Amino acid sequence: MDFFPDISRLPDFITIETERETASFSGGSDIPFHDVCVRITVADSVNVSLSADTTPVLRLRLRWNAPVPAGTRFCGDAWERGYGDFEWRGFVAERIMPWYFYASCKDAFAGYGVRVRPDAMCFFCCDPAGVTLTVDVRCGGAGVVLKGKTIACAEAVCAEYKGISSFEAACRFTSLLCCDGIFPDVPVYGANNWYYAYGKSSAKEILGDSAYLAEMTEGIENRPFMVMDDGWQIDHSDSYNGGPWRVGNADYGDMGELAAQMRAKNVRPGIWFRPLYDHSADIPAEWRLERNAEVFDISVPEVLEHIAQDIRQLGDWGYELIKHDFSTYDIFGCWGFEMGTRLTNGGWRFHDHTKTTAELIVRFYEVVHEAAKREDRQDVLILGCNCIGHLGAGLMQGNRTGDDTSGVEWERTRKMGINTLAFRMLQQGTFYGADADCVGITEHIDWNKNRQWMEVLAESGTPFFVSVKPGFLNESQKEELKEAYRKASQPHPAAVPLDWMETKTPEKWQTYAGRREYNF
């Protein structure tokens, strides 16, 4: 790298933080510290591994000293979903940038990151004097006790680009982080009932939505998904949206029969669930998370088998897409924008103290992925929501990459949806299908605003879902919706946010259909 710092070398300083003490070391490839050893090898990436016996290890910090050009601007990723907070900024030394970040100055562009599915929660910081990578290996909120095991904490990479646009450079770099993403055979699109129903629905309404979706997509060979969101489960209430997940409530009836009726209307059935939250009295106490007894502990093998059975049940009912939600919040006890450097509150641990939080989350995603495979028919598609995309890439076909849009407030859709679409577009077709969430069509939102959001989303090449209140659209608006569905049903190259370095909500886009300028 000629312009930006090169971190494809041994770091200048390495810090090891345990529950007992913290020590820093200058360089080196093998760093022993009591019964802890950090090993760093440099090939096409900087590979960081950690072994220890009984010492509880918290974090590692790797520091590369090198001047960063004045005037550089930076854009980082997020722990899980975006919350309308992706943006390019100047130097902020304490700004944490989880998983990867980009740097741009004059005509040069650089990317720094760790490859997907590491055994640690990783984030970068950058200041005028260099780059720091923090590798968090905790088990919950306490140190991991590896008992002689070696873990692959991170594979750090960097690259520099010149002579191409910032967005193309960012796409090229992001592709270095994941080489095994999985994707559906055809574009994923359709409807979701959440943003007009908000959990107040029934089998009757779902079948009505299915018929409406079938009408709006008539003649399209690639059939749409009708995704049934929160509200169908047996114990659903205004104050509880958890499991059990093996039976629907009285308003929905036989969930297998409902899926069959949806399919008979020529749509593909999809369903939402929250896998880690279940207050059922028959759940053994040892399955419960130390931090919150209503949440499953994903380090318990029986818990993972229980979740796998839930997935298989949903698939056996006939649902072809499963949206699993809330797992990051349930594990950490906070939303992504609240996690910061602490990630979670308190010194709690998972039941299995020998695995890091990142290891356990990857295994959880693997179990969901494996349970969705079908021997007798097409695999069930997995759409993550409130998931950690960097740990789930390669294990889910789609991921909701931003917080909720809205069927009530346009400002929320603008903040969450458009910002997410622009800045997480880089993961589309590399990590998974990057779902920027729904177009919520109700009387509360100006159609002229929504139709712009609908157009850029339909032309973006990403998953496309609409949540439309029945009876709201007039005939001309229906025709516009039909055209959006037609576009979304076909594969397209990713749209490019042309002004993403100037604004958090880009209004200038280049799509397969041409240049678009919006007034969001």
Side-chain angles (χ1 to χ4, degrees):
M1 297 176 69
D2 300 322
F3 194 77
F4 288 105
D6 187 354
I7 68 167
S8 58
R9 59 179 176 85
L10 293 175
D12 296 291
F13 292 95
I14 300 165
T15 299
I16 302 173
E17 182 182 350
T18 74
E19 287 188 355
R20 299 165 187 165
E21 57 187 313
T22 300
S24 294
F25 305 86
S26 298
S29 57
D30 288 276
I31 312 296
F33 180 55
H34 302 311
D35 68 342
V36 178
C37 182
V38 176
R39 173 166 291 180
I40 300 176
T41 59
V42 179
D44 65 329
S45 60
V46 178
N47 302 306
V48 184
S49 63
L50 168 71
S51 61
D53 191 7
T54 59
T55 298
V57 186
L58 301 173
R59 301 172 188 87
L60 310 176
R61 291 187 181 87
L62 285 66
R63 173 68 178 185
W64 291 268
N65 288 331
V68 182
T72 297
R73 299 178 70 205
F74 306 89
C75 180
D77 197 38
W79 282 124
E80 43 106 3
R81 298 182 295 189
Y83 291 85
D85 48 5
F86 293 119
E87 64 176 324
W88 286 89
R89 298 173 64 184
F91 283 104
V92 183
E94 69 277 11
R95 179 189 184 188
I96 73 165
M97 295 178 283
W99 311 119
Y100 61 83
F101 74 96
Y102 311 116
S104 180
C105 186
K106 298 180 180 177
D107 64 343
F109 185 97
Y112 300 82
V114 297
R115 290 193 168 122
V116 298
R117 301 191 303 279
D119 289 341
M121 304 288 288
C122 303
F123 69 86
F124 291 87
C125 293
C126 191
D127 58 72
V131 177
T132 302
L133 168 61
T134 298
V135 176
D136 191 316
V137 295
R138 287 178 296 165
C139 175
V144 67
V145 182
L146 292 174
K147 294 186 178 180
K149 185 177 70 170
T150 299
I151 59 173
C153 300
E155 295 181 47
V157 296
C158 64
E160 187 173 284
Y161 306 89
K162 291 184 178 180
I164 57 176
S165 72
S166 62
F167 192 79
E168 183 180 351
C171 288
R172 289 189 188 182
F173 178 74
T174 307
S175 69
L176 298 179
L177 305 180
C178 181
C179 62
D180 60 356
I182 58 173
F183 312 98
D185 295 332
V186 293
V188 171
Y189 78 106
N192 180 303
N193 69 325
W194 179 252
Y195 292 111
Y196 82 84
Y198 286 101
K200 306 295 185 183
S201 193
S202 69
K204 179 180 178 181
E205 278 79 12
I206 293 296
L207 292 174
D209 289 338
S210 298
Y212 189 83
L213 176 59
E215 177 190 349
M216 294 297 102
T217 59
E218 185 177 2
I220 297 176
E221 182 178 357
N222 173 22
R223 298 311 300 153
F225 287 94
M226 179 62 226
V227 180
M228 185 189 323
D229 216 287
D230 182 20
W232 63 269
Q233 63 271 34
I234 186 70
D235 283 354
H236 179 264
S237 69
D238 290 339
S239 60
Y240 181 76
N241 69 340
W245 306 102
R246 307 289 173 85
V247 63
N249 62 47
D251 290 330
Y252 285 80
D254 185 313
M255 297 302 293
E257 176 60 26
L258 178 54
Q261 291 175 334
M262 293 168 69
R263 191 174 293 105
K265 293 188 180 296
N266 203 22
V267 299
R268 303 177 68 183
I271 196 166
W272 173 99
F273 89 126
R274 183 177 181 175
L276 302 185
Y277 191 55
D278 193 329
H279 65 187
S280 301
D282 61 347
I283 299 296
E286 56 269 25
W287 291 16
R288 301 296 190 179
L289 193 65
E290 179 183 318
R291 189 191 56 75
N292 182 350
E294 287 197 329
V295 173
F296 284 136
D297 184 328
I298 58 173
S299 76
V300 177
E302 292 82 2
V303 164
L304 296 180
E305 177 54 31
H306 181 86
I307 294 168
Q309 290 176 8
D310 283 343
I311 295 285
R312 287 191 285 266
Q313 176 67 83
L314 299 177
D316 289 344
W317 279 339
Y319 293 93
E320 301 178 38
L321 179 150
I322 296 174
K323 176 183 175 183
H324 71 92
D325 199 356
F326 278 94
S327 60
T328 302
Y329 178 81
D330 287 338
I331 290 168
F332 292 94
C334 51
W335 302 107
F337 67 88
E338 300 171 319
M339 289 166 67
T341 60
R342 61 181 174 84
L343 300 182
T344 188
N345 291 320
W348 62 275
R349 282 189 176 94
F350 292 96
H351 178 78
D352 185 348
H353 299 179
T354 69
K355 293 185 175 66
T356 68
T357 301
E359 284 185 282
L360 293 169
I361 291 173
V362 170
R363 181 57 192 148
F364 161 55
Y365 294 159
E366 287 173 344
V367 166
V368 172
H369 173 61
E370 292 162 3
K373 294 179 179 179
R374 320 299 294 179
E375 294 182 358
D376 55 338
R377 56 184 180 273
Q378 188 175 20
D379 291 350
V380 174
L381 297 181
I382 296 299
L383 174 63
C385 187
N386 186 228
C387 289
I388 297 176
H390 217 79
L391 300 181
L395 298 172
M396 53 184 68
Q397 291 89 352
N399 185 34
R400 258 280 306 282
T401 50
D403 195 15
D404 291 7
T405 55
S406 179
V408 179
E409 301 175 62
W410 166 249
E411 286 302 313
R412 183 177 181 90
T413 295
R414 188 177 69 87
K415 176 182 178 181
M416 302 299 183
I418 297 162
N419 179 260
T420 294
L421 181 67
F423 287 84
R424 279 276 178 82
M425 183 73 73
L426 307 151
Q427 298 176 355
Q428 167 66 26
T430 298
F431 284 21
Y432 33 57
D435 176 14
D437 206 15
C438 295
V439 183
I441 300 177
T442 70
E443 72 275 18
H444 302 294
I445 297 182
D446 180 0
W447 172 252
N448 290 322
K449 297 295 186 184
N450 247 346
R451 66 185 297 276
Q452 296 179 80
W453 167 229
M454 183 173 70
E455 180 179 81
V456 70
L457 190 61
E459 294 181 2
S460 69
T462 68
F464 175 83
F465 289 100
V466 171
S467 189
V468 56
K469 184 175 180 179
F472 173 68
L473 295 181
N474 61 36
E475 290 305 313
S476 65
Q477 291 166 344
K478 284 183 181 181
E479 291 304 312
E480 291 183 87
L481 176 58
K482 288 179 181 179
E483 177 63 9
Y485 273 139
R486 185 193 63 78
K487 292 176 180 178
S489 71
Q490 302 169 354
H492 300 297
V496 178
L498 300 173
D499 53 344
W500 76 313
M501 297 190 73
E502 284 76 53
T503 175
K504 293 173 69 174
T505 52
E507 295 187 319
K508 298 175 182 178
W509 293 77
Q510 182 68 46
T511 78
Y512 79 94
R515 184 185 173 101
R516 305 293 196 187
E517 292 199 18
Y518 298 106
N519 177 16
F520 292 131

